[in-house]
Amino acid sequence: MAFTSSSHHALRVALRHLAFGNRLPQVAAGVGLVSVLAVGATYLLPAQGTRGPMAAIAALTGGDMATRSVEADFQAPPPRIWMSSLVGIPDAPFAAPDYAPAPIISRMVRVEPFAAEREGAAPRPSGTTTPAETTAEITPEITEEITVTAALDADIASGSATPVSPLTLTLAAPQDESAEHLAALRAPRRSLLPVARPQALTAALQAEAETQALAALEAEPAPESRFAVVRSRTPQPRPEVVTRLASLVIERPIEASAPAPAAPAIQVPPMRQALARADTCDSALTRSIPRRGRSAAGGSQVIGQLTSVSGSSRDGAVISEVMAGNIPDHLRNLVPVSFEGSGPNGQPTRVTICVMPDYLAVGSDRDFVRVPLGLPAATRVAERFDMVLPTTRMVDAIYAQANLRLSPSPMDPNSQMASTNYFLRHNATVEGQLRQANGRLGQLVAGHKKDLVLTNRLNRNPGRVAIYGWHRRSGSPIQPLSTVHGAQYADYSHGIRLISRRAYVNGRAVDLRDLLSDSRLAALVSSEGTIANRQLLAALR
């Protein structure tokens, strides 16, 4: 029995603990809810004597925001919160030294009236004011009062405007009209909240400033002021020419120099004179070339001694032989090449030039080697022999009228292309082609070399050499006009074709330099028209 009572007691204790354990989450939840309510009440119902956010606003606006009505807001005067009482005015870094900051005045703000006033509602109680009726106090010194009736533009237009209180402005008399005082008043001041100026406004202000500056210059009667130098807002380095001009003292307008006399126009005779006279090239055209000496070395010997030399040194050795007359005799007999087209006033015109039958070579008729040269060396030879280099149109015409057209024979393009050994090997290849074609000396031969040519393209590429040609059987050149190489460059595929300075226009002898500079006739012999580069025309002078 005792055992049973003890068991029941233990069971009751266990059940009591179990029930208390089940109530623990509920107790914890209740305590948390009470805490949340207490904290929320602290913020929602601030104790007396504390200043919450609403109380701070009420202190600024003059009343309790929670209890004020719209009518109270309407009747109460507007708050007068001055920026000067909140933020101090810093010193203006761009103002005049004697500039003193003036007190900040309020701005006139135009406010739309309530809808009740527009619809004819009862007027506001007397004594109330609106921002539109506020009197702006500028300075204590009063000189004049102006009364303005305020009315809305829209109400005036519709005819429904109602009388409102007059707007009274109190103006101040100017204290000082001196330039120093006005400059001090207009002195710029740094903004408390700087904002980037709009681009359109900047452009407009700059244009206005330039217009005012030009107007000031035009209004100035003194002659020296018209030429005054104005400092630029974006200074740039002054060119040397402008610097020299700026150093001059301009006292009177500079008289324009007389224009240079134009070259006389080429007189073109009728076509029948050219047809009546056969196109021939006189042997006197090559009289500037010295006779070849009996003791002159053959071409193989001269070039064989230059196998270890290249560039300008090799060119110098070659042209010393050429200018001494060591060239084959068949190159002294020039061959005519003709062009036909429309001349001045559309009349038929025929132009004939006299060209070397083959490319420049050193040696005799039995032993000669064609010699590529750089542009400076080729120009020296042409000038010495009273000749010129061809244009691209001349090269095309020479190939079209050649007695013998050889096919191009390219060699392996490598670093040895400009070597003397390549010159000798390619010359032997061309001689083999001539033997197979039964060619003879003195015939006009073309297609086996590229030409150094005259072109205006070298105006944009000074210090370069222009090459063109090496025509295929179809007549199209392998090498289009190119100026990629330097002026001293020469490789095995280049050739120097010289042309006499004397040409014929409808049978009349003319200077080729005049023909290339005549805008009416230059197009007949040049695809670029006139040749204007002085360096290229050095051989003509």
Side-chain angles (χ1 to χ4, degrees):
M1 189 66 178
F3 175 76
T4 303
S5 300
S6 301
S7 300
H8 284 289
H9 178 71
L11 182 59
R12 285 196 302 271
V13 172
L15 292 175
R16 187 181 300 119
H17 284 287
L18 181 60
F20 180 74
N22 292 335
R23 293 192 185 96
L24 284 178
Q26 298 176 359
V27 174
V31 173
L33 180 58
V34 172
S35 301
V36 171
L37 292 176
V39 174
T42 304
Y43 284 92
L44 295 176
L45 301 174
Q48 186 174 2
T50 61
R51 294 178 58 87
M54 300 299 291
I57 297 176
L60 291 175
T61 57
D64 189 357
M65 294 296 294
T67 60
R68 290 176 58 181
S69 62
V70 176
E71 185 66 23
D73 288 337
F74 181 76
Q75 296 179 1
R80 302 180 63 85
I81 303 176
W82 299 88
M83 292 300 294
S84 58
S85 64
L86 300 180
V87 182
I89 302 176
D91 295 336
F94 303 103
D98 57 346
Y99 175 72
I104 299 178
I105 62 175
S106 59
R107 296 185 178 181
M108 300 292 295
V109 181
R110 182 173 182 175
V111 181
E112 293 288 342
F114 289 96
E117 292 186 11
R118 298 183 181 178
E119 297 173 359
R124 299 178 183 178
S126 60
T128 61
T129 58
T130 61
E133 302 168 357
T134 303
T135 300
E137 298 179 0
I138 300 179
T139 58
E141 297 185 6
I142 301 175
T143 59
E144 184 180 2
E145 291 187 355
I146 302 176
T147 303
V148 181
T149 301
L152 295 175
D153 297 338
D155 293 340
I156 293 175
S158 62
S160 60
T162 57
V164 295
S165 300
L167 173 64
T168 303
L169 300 178
T170 302
L171 303 180
Q175 299 177 357
D176 189 1
E177 293 295 341
S178 62
E180 293 78 5
H181 179 70
L182 294 178
L185 291 179
R186 296 172 182 174
R189 299 173 61 186
R190 178 174 297 176
S191 174
L192 299 177
L193 300 175
V195 180
R197 176 177 291 179
Q199 185 175 3
L201 179 59
T202 303
L205 292 177
Q206 184 176 0
E208 182 180 359
E210 293 176 356
T211 304
Q212 294 177 357
L214 291 176
L217 290 177
E218 293 176 357
E220 182 65 32
E224 59 273 8
S225 63
R226 294 197 302 268
F227 305 100
V229 179
V230 180
R231 179 174 297 177
S232 173
R233 294 190 179 95
T234 58
Q236 299 291 335
R238 174 178 290 180
E240 182 180 358
V241 176
V242 178
T243 303
R244 293 198 300 266
L245 291 176
S247 62
L248 299 177
V249 178
I250 302 178
E251 298 180 352
R252 59 181 179 180
I254 300 176
E255 299 180 359
S257 58
I266 298 177
Q267 300 296 327
V268 181
M271 187 70 174
R272 61 178 180 273
Q273 294 186 16
L275 298 178
R277 176 181 177 181
D279 291 329
T280 58
C281 294
D282 191 359
S283 59
L285 298 178
T286 58
R287 61 186 177 185
S288 297
I289 303 176
R291 291 180 175 271
R292 186 175 184 272
R294 295 183 179 181
S295 59
S300 300
Q301 179 181 354
V302 172
I303 301 302
Q305 296 174 353
L306 301 176
T307 54
S308 59
V309 184
S310 62
S312 58
S313 300
R314 181 179 58 203
D315 289 351
V318 169
I319 64 175
S320 64
E321 292 286 336
V322 171
M323 289 184 176
N326 190 8
I327 66 171
D329 290 337
H330 69 274
L331 296 181
R332 302 171 189 265
N333 299 321
L334 304 185
V335 180
V337 173
S338 300
F339 306 82
E340 292 185 1
S342 298
N345 301 323
Q347 66 183 34
T349 305
R350 181 185 181 93
V351 177
T352 301
I353 60 175
C354 297
V355 305
M356 278 188 174
D358 203 342
Y359 292 100
L360 182 65
V362 61
S364 63
D365 285 345
R366 299 180 59 182
D367 180 13
F368 64 91
V369 177
R370 298 169 183 84
V371 285
L373 295 173
L375 181 60
T379 303
R380 287 184 58 190
V381 174
E383 184 179 8
R384 174 67 176 80
F385 293 167
D386 289 336
M387 295 188 178
V388 298
L389 296 175
T391 64
T392 57
R393 178 159 292 179
M394 293 179 186
V395 174
D396 293 337
I398 291 171
Y399 182 82
Q401 301 177 32
N403 303 114
L404 183 61
R405 302 185 188 94
L406 301 179
S407 299
S409 298
M411 300 177 66
D412 294 336
N414 53 40
S415 59
Q416 298 298 316
M417 292 173 57
S419 65
T420 307
N421 288 330
Y422 257 53
F423 292 1
L424 292 170
R425 290 171 54 188
H426 191 260
N427 187 77
T429 301
V430 173
E431 288 299 308
Q433 289 179 302
L434 286 172
R435 286 192 296 268
Q436 292 181 359
N438 296 322
R440 50 187 178 81
L441 300 179
Q443 286 182 311
L444 183 58
V445 184
H448 52 299
K449 290 280 188 180
K450 303 175 186 177
D451 285 81
L452 269 66
V453 295
L454 302 177
T455 174
N456 288 323
R457 188 178 296 183
L458 290 180
N459 292 337
R460 303 184 299 272
N461 301 280
R464 302 293 182 89
V465 61
I467 54 177
Y468 173 80
W470 219 5
H471 288 70
R472 304 180 183 92
R473 289 289 185 177
S474 62
S476 62
I478 292 178
Q479 176 63 67
L481 180 61
S482 172
T483 57
V484 299
H485 296 296
Q488 298 286 351
Y489 179 79
D491 62 38
Y492 75 95
S493 64
H494 295 185
I496 310 300
R497 177 93 66 174
L498 297 178
I499 301 174
S500 173
R501 276 175 41 185
R502 181 185 298 178
Y504 299 93
V505 179
N506 285 354
R508 173 174 293 178
V510 298
D511 196 325
L512 190 55
R513 60 186 174 183
D514 296 334
L515 183 62
L516 288 173
S517 60
D518 193 323
S519 58
R520 306 170 304 159
L521 300 173
L524 294 174
V525 294
S526 172
S527 59
E528 303 175 68
T530 58
I531 301 297
N533 191 297
R534 290 182 299 175
Q535 178 183 357
L536 298 176
L537 294 178
L540 302 177
R541 302 297 176 183

